[in-house]
Amino acid sequence: MASVSASHLILFIASILVAASVSGVLTSTVGDLSNAIDDTGLQVSDDVRTDIEIISDSGSDAVYNDTEGNITLYVKNTGSLQLAADSNTMDVLVNGQYETDVTVTLLEDSVTWDSGDVVRLDISRSLATNEDHRIQLTVNGDEEVFQFNT
C-alpha cells in the first residue's frame, strides 16, 4: 500500500511541476500578445487619423517642368493627425518606380504639417512628353494617386 501512495505522490508532484511551467509560459505569451495588440491599436489609430489629398490640377502645365525635369505637387493634410513634412516619411512612386530625390517644403508658417496645411513636393525626374503618367503617394498608410499628361 505504501508503494501506491508513494507513486501517487511522485505523479502528483510531477503534475504540479508541469502545470507550473505551462502556466509560466502561458502568462508570458499572453503578456506578449497583449503588448502586440496595444501596438497594433496605436498604429491603426494613426492610420485612421491620417488623410492627405493631392490638390494639384492634373490639367495644369505647372505640374511638370520639362526643361528642368521636375515634377511639382501640392499635397494637403486633411486628416486630424499632425504629420512630419519630411520625404523620409513618404513613399513616392512615379510610373511605378520608387523616387528618392524628393524635396518637401512646408508652405505654412509652422514646423509641422498640421491638419489643413499644404506641402509642396518637388520630384526630380525626367518624363517622356505627350504621355500619361501616374504618381502614387503614401503617407502613414494613406495612399493617393495622381494622374496627368505631359
Side-chain angles (χ1 to χ4, degrees):
M1 280 305 258
S3 64
V4 173
S5 297
S7 63
H8 283 183
L9 183 61
I10 290 171
L11 287 175
F12 177 73
I13 291 172
S15 63
I16 294 295
L17 289 174
V18 169
S21 63
V22 168
S23 69
V25 169
L26 286 178
T27 301
S28 174
T29 303
V30 168
D32 292 344
L33 185 60
S34 175
N35 290 338
I37 289 172
D38 288 344
D39 292 345
T40 302
L42 290 173
Q43 180 63 37
V44 168
S45 172
D46 286 349
D47 288 351
V48 167
R49 294 175 35 213
T50 300
D51 192 25
I52 59 166
E53 292 294 327
I54 299 174
I55 59 174
S56 295
D57 181 12
S58 61
S60 172
D61 291 336
V63 172
Y64 181 66
N65 184 338
D66 58 350
T67 56
E68 294 180 15
N70 190 35
I71 304 167
T72 302
L73 292 179
Y74 291 93
V75 182
K76 185 175 186 175
N77 181 358
T78 56
S80 62
L81 187 67
Q82 187 180 69
L83 302 171
D86 184 12
S87 63
N88 294 328
T89 61
M90 302 176 186
D91 292 328
V92 180
L93 298 169
V94 177
N95 296 329
Q97 293 183 340
Y98 185 77
E99 296 296 325
T100 57
D101 193 4
V102 178
T103 305
V104 180
T105 307
L106 188 60
L107 301 181
E108 310 297 325
D109 290 334
S110 66
V111 179
T112 56
W113 190 14
D114 297 322
S115 181
D117 290 351
V118 176
V119 296
R120 183 180 68 230
L121 296 181
D122 293 310
I123 307 163
S124 294
R125 170 80 188 270
S126 295
L127 298 174
T129 56
N130 297 323
E131 289 187 12
D132 292 331
H133 301 284
R134 182 176 192 259
I135 298 174
Q136 177 181 327
L137 175 64
T138 306
V139 177
N140 230 18
D142 185 41
E143 179 182 302
E144 293 296 322
V145 175
F146 182 76
Q147 296 178 345
F148 66 102
N149 189 301
T150 53

